Amino acid sequence: MRRKIVAGNWKMNGSKDLSEKLVGYVRSESVSLDKGVEVVIIPPAIYIGDVVREAQGNISVGIQNVARWQSGAYTGEVSSEMAKDSGCCFALVGHSERRQLFGETDKMVAEKVSIVVGSGLTAIVCVGETLEERESGRAEVVVAGQVREGLSSVKQGDWQNIVLAYEPVWAIGTGKTATSDDAQAMHAAIRDVLRDMGAPADEIALLYGGSVKADNAADLFSEPDVDGGLIGGASLVAKEFMSICRSLSAGT
Ligand code: 13P
């Protein structure tokens, strides 16, 4: 059985206050979800301790980015081991904002995936094409390349610690969502690439991200290869985030 996951990526938003109130609400409401649905909160690193405390082990916590190194003289960086030590179970790797604003390449993604999995966390590896790449008909080729290169460091036996998130860049924060048909087509294509790489493709959770809201989540999650969502803006609004979680719950 594939994991079913709704993860809220707060990006550089939130506060101590939100960490307490929103996470407290999600924790208390999450008892009503289907048992198979995992809820993950991914706050800015500085609030991980607050979120872990408030989550009380009922919901999982992730980090938005980790260093490519285990430890040492890398001022300002946070290691995967430190995230684990602070209570994280997940780490995002290769979010398009990291790729576009901080120059992260597929090679760096592969290095981080190896470090994240090695420290015992589950990597949520983000892939997705730009509008230009989609309009020129190259979306599947671009995404397939990101999957192959970004996951090139994964060893047999480590695939259970890999989750993929397909986030078309043009859908992030824009209010434009991929249609459920387009999302399904890309997820099926990603699964084919994984199969071709020798991965247990049918067991790897594939999340969709990009302007997922309470009113479009059920449609997206109803697709056979969409195993959940990676939510940005809507994850900062407690009721809306829970409503998205419930859509997955209802779809399992
Ligand atoms: P939005 O849901 O705000 O479009 O962000 C998606 C995203 O980038 C999640 O990682």
Side-chain angles (χ1 to χ4, degrees):
M1 259 280 278
R2 295 207 279 268
R3 296 167 87 168
K4 296 268 179 184
I5 298 169
V6 177
N9 173 13
W10 288 7
K11 308 192 180 186
M12 201 173 74
N13 296 297
S15 60
K16 231 176 154 58
D17 191 50
L18 189 84
S19 304
E20 285 168 14
K21 294 197 177 124
L22 186 145
V23 179
Y25 175 82
V26 172
R27 177 191 15 117
S28 63
E29 292 289 310
S30 65
V31 294
S32 65
L33 294 174
D34 286 358
K35 289 287 164 279
V37 173
E38 292 178 67
V39 178
V40 186
I41 305 276
I42 311 178
I46 198 156
Y47 297 129
I48 284 172
D50 298 295
V51 171
V52 167
R53 204 170 310 116
E54 203 57 56
Q56 295 181 9
N58 289 343
I59 49 184
S60 301
V61 182
I63 187 165
Q64 295 176 11
N65 174 50
V66 296
R68 278 187 288 145
W69 308 279
Q70 308 274 9
S71 64
Y74 302 103
T75 301
E77 292 285 279
V78 175
S79 76
S80 188
E81 284 289 346
M82 290 168 190
K84 172 112 191 288
D85 196 28
S86 300
C88 287
C89 303
F90 289 84
L92 284 185
V93 184
H95 190 280
S96 66
E97 287 148 18
R98 303 284 327 162
R99 293 176 189 260
Q100 294 198 318
L101 302 171
F102 302 97
E104 254 179 45
T105 62
D106 288 325
K107 183 166 175 286
M108 292 178 194
V109 170
E111 288 169 1
K112 290 186 179 188
V113 167
S114 168
I115 287 206
V116 165
V117 170
S119 66
L121 300 185
T122 293
I124 303 179
V125 183
C126 303
V127 296
E129 80 285 357
T130 63
L131 186 60
E132 193 212 332
E133 289 162 343
R134 172 152 288 259
E135 286 179 342
S136 61
R138 290 183 293 133
E140 280 193 13
V141 172
V142 167
V143 169
Q146 291 171 342
V147 172
R148 281 185 195 281
E149 288 180 46
L151 298 181
S152 57
S153 59
V154 180
K155 301 188 191 76
Q156 285 302 335
D158 282 342
W159 288 104
Q160 76 272 10
N161 285 336
I162 299 292
V163 170
L164 273 149
Y166 168 55
E167 298 203 303
V169 178
W170 48 269
I172 295 178
T174 58
K176 287 187 208 150
T177 318
T179 63
S180 52
D181 283 352
D182 284 345
Q184 167 58 28
M186 186 62 88
H187 282 220
I190 291 172
R191 227 179 271 294
D192 284 344
V193 174
L194 290 169
R195 206 167 283 120
D196 194 51
M197 291 173 75
D202 291 324
E203 286 156 39
I204 297 173
L206 305 184
L207 315 183
Y208 170 80
S211 296
V212 179
K213 307 279 181 234
D215 60 7
N216 60 21
D219 196 27
L220 288 158
F221 297 163
S222 69
E223 295 294 341
D225 285 297
V226 178
D227 306 309
L230 180 55
I231 321 300
S235 73
L236 295 161
V237 184
K239 286 195 170 150
E240 176 142 26
F241 184 61
M242 268 322 295
S243 161
I244 294 170
C245 294
R246 276 193 208 97
S247 304
L248 183 61
S249 198
T252 52

